[in-house]
Amino acid sequence: MQRAVSMVAQLGLRLQALPSALRRPLSCAQDVLRRTPLYDFHLAHGGKMVAFAGWSLPVQYRDSHVDSHLHTRRHCSLFDVSHMLQTKILGCDRVKLMESLVVGDIAELRPNQGTLSLFTNEAGGILDDLIVTSTSEGYLYVVSNAGCRDKDLALMQDKVGELQNEGSDVSLEVVDNALLALQGPTAAQVLQAGVADDLRKLPFMTSAVMEVFGVSGCRVTRCGYTGEDGVEISVPAATAVHLATALLENPEVKLAGLAARDSLRLEAGLCLYGSDIDEHTTPVEGSLSWTLGKRRRAAMDFPGASVIVAQLKGRVQRRRVGLMCEGAPMRAHSPILNTEGTVIGTVTSGCPSPCLKKNVAMGYVPYEYSRPGTPLLVEVRRKQQMAVVSKMPFVTTNYYTLK
């Protein structure tokens, strides 16, 4: 851990800039870590590599974390997210399989429409968050978290085997593509120069296969993890460097790493699995009830439905909330107290907001303290300071929807 601390300190970052749930010491040999197809590309562009979820990934490049963050909000940035698990679910019973594992209504998705959903267990806990797209090519395209790769693969493969034994037509393939995220208000303008498809017809959470800057067979999905307009491009691994190089030729585009990605998603009020949600958190507690399909709620046919639906109809003991404060920044594991000084909860993610010039955080508090505007205290460096429950997202999101 000492080497990890010293490396991030040399970058001018606090170690907390990396999500604690997925930080890993760099004392292990680098060859133990998995590398994306862009590893050498990152080094050539000044990427400062760190261990993240078993992968060697850039925490930042030559620009500072804050400069990268603000560039993404004002222009656009290119992120390597090839560590994410990409899978295809094929066969006539692909929806049956996915709906046996997640809380969302997958059957209602239109061709090339996607949705954020959640794997849950029988206790209602969240096993992972994922994006499921129903493609016009006749399969489900699934993107889930690298930190849950083994768990997610085992979950899906076990269910595939179970359904196949019952005579169902379903199978799973791991997609070995790279995954590039182009995020920011000028992302569509930059990408449009390299595609024949009209991106004005590709709204948020829709997807299409197209040629991108001469690379055929790319799946472009209008989504991201920053709160800005943007896309994620699943590209054959052998052509990932070519595509990244082509995108960087536009002066609007700069490379960005894990540090900016984390502060951007926090400003947007987006959860990090393992920090803000986990197997001991239900969708209702995590303020993710909107992921529950109406039909699925009525049928109660997803894992943990008896627990989750009961929480929807009643009142949960705790809720994920946003917090803002002045003074020292809140960090994961900072205690949250009521104004009488009693500890009532814990911060799960926190950082200074480069856009707001205030400290923002997420955490869990009892339901009666979850209303926006509620004054609270947080303990930072053994000192108590005022905080207030705030609506999320902290920074207005700019997802592209059809007018």
Side-chain angles (χ1 to χ4, degrees), residues 85-246:
L85 173 63
Q86 302 176 69
T87 52
K88 291 181 181 181
I89 309 296
L90 306 102
C92 297
D93 295 309
R94 59 190 180 277
V95 171
K96 176 182 177 182
L97 176 134
M98 190 53 57
E99 289 197 347
S100 72
L101 300 174
V102 304
V103 300
D105 192 338
I106 308 305
E108 75 167 3
L109 293 175
R110 298 184 299 275
N112 293 323
Q113 182 185 16
T115 186
L116 177 73
S117 198
L118 307 169
F119 288 133
T120 49
N121 59 28
E122 292 301 333
I126 300 170
L127 296 172
D128 198 9
D129 59 303
L130 62 155
I131 292 179
V132 182
T133 300
S134 181
T135 73
S136 59
E137 291 79 19
Y139 59 84
L140 299 179
Y141 170 60
V142 180
V143 180
S144 56
N145 287 303
C148 298
R149 180 186 181 92
D150 293 344
K151 177 174 69 174
D152 290 352
L153 264 181
L155 181 71
M156 291 186 285
Q157 288 171 336
D158 287 351
K159 184 58 70 170
V160 165
E162 178 185 321
L163 292 182
Q164 286 178 342
N165 289 338
E166 295 172 359
S168 294
D169 174 24
V170 66
S171 61
L172 178 149
E173 291 180 8
V174 174
V175 179
D176 290 325
N177 283 1
L179 191 63
L180 303 180
L182 187 66
Q183 299 285 298
T186 60
Q189 168 195 321
V190 168
L191 188 63
Q192 189 63 75
V195 301
D197 298 59
D198 185 354
L199 296 178
R200 292 173 300 180
K201 298 178 180 178
L202 191 74
F204 182 59
M205 294 306 290
T206 62
S207 179
V209 175
M210 61 185 77
E211 182 177 296
V212 183
F213 286 99
V215 179
S216 59
C218 294
R219 175 165 292 281
V220 177
T221 305
R222 199 96 178 228
C223 68
Y225 195 47
T226 63
E228 295 295 333
D229 184 22
V231 296
E232 292 185 353
I233 308 168
S234 181
V235 53
T239 51
V241 170
H242 168 84
L243 178 55
T245 302

Side-chain angles (χ1 to χ4, degrees), residues 324-330 352 357-359 380-381 385-386:
M324 296 183 71
C325 81
E326 306 287 346
M330 300 168 281
K357 303 295 191 290
K358 295 182 179 179
N359 302 313
V380 182
R381 300 174 189 163
Q385 57 192 47
M386 293 298 300

Side-chain angles (χ1 to χ4, degrees), residues 41 139 314 360 396:
F41 176 87
Y139 59 84
V360 298
T396 303

Side-chain angles (χ1 to χ4, degrees), residues 201-400:
K201 298 178 180 178
L202 191 74
F204 182 59
M205 294 306 290
T206 62
S207 179
V209 175
M210 61 185 77
E211 182 177 296
V212 183
F213 286 99
V215 179
S216 59
C218 294
R219 175 165 292 281
V220 177
T221 305
R222 199 96 178 228
C223 68
Y225 195 47
T226 63
E228 295 295 333
D229 184 22
V231 296
E232 292 185 353
I233 308 168
S234 181
V235 53
T239 51
V241 170
H242 168 84
L243 178 55
T245 302
L247 290 167
L248 274 183
E249 288 178 359
N250 191 313
E252 282 290 308
V253 184
K254 289 189 176 183
L255 292 168
L258 293 170
R261 191 166 184 253
D262 193 49
S263 54
L264 287 160
R265 69 92 191 168
L266 186 48
E267 283 187 343
L270 301 174
C271 293
L272 173 67
Y273 190 84
S275 293
D276 307 304
I277 51 176
D278 58 27
E279 294 184 18
H280 306 291
T281 310
T282 70
V284 184
E285 292 171 334
S287 299
L288 295 169
S289 300
W290 59 270
T291 62
L292 303 166
K294 184 177 179 180
R295 173 180 62 85
R296 306 300 307 282
R297 299 184 195 197
M300 295 183 63
D301 59 351
F302 55 86
S306 60
V307 174
I308 295 168
V309 173
Q311 289 182 342
L312 285 171
K313 295 177 178 178
R315 196 171 89 167
V316 290
Q317 292 187 331
R318 61 177 190 144
R319 292 291 296 269
R320 178 175 64 93
V321 298
L323 297 165
M324 296 183 71
C325 81
E326 306 287 346
M330 300 168 281
R331 299 294 187 184
H333 311 302
S334 295
I336 304 171
L337 306 87
N338 62 20
T339 52
E340 286 74 46
T342 302
V343 175
I344 59 169
T346 307
V347 171
T348 55
S349 290
C351 72
S353 164
C355 292
L356 300 177
K357 303 295 191 290
K358 295 182 179 179
N359 302 313
V360 298
M362 297 181 201
Y364 284 82
V365 298
Y367 182 85
E368 57 267 29
Y369 293 97
S370 64
R371 183 183 296 273
T374 302
L376 296 171
L377 298 170
V378 290
E379 186 177 303
V380 182
R381 300 174 189 163
R382 299 184 181 179
K383 294 182 179 180
Q384 294 179 8
Q385 57 192 47
M386 293 298 300
V388 62
V389 176
S390 304
K391 289 184 179 180
M392 293 186 287
F394 299 105
V395 173
T396 303
T397 55
N398 295 301
Y399 304 127
Y400 174 72

Side-chain angles (χ1 to χ4, degrees), residues 45-59:
H45 287 81
K48 310 301 190 297
M49 311 303 284
V50 298
F52 185 89
W55 294 76
S56 182
L57 292 169
V59 66

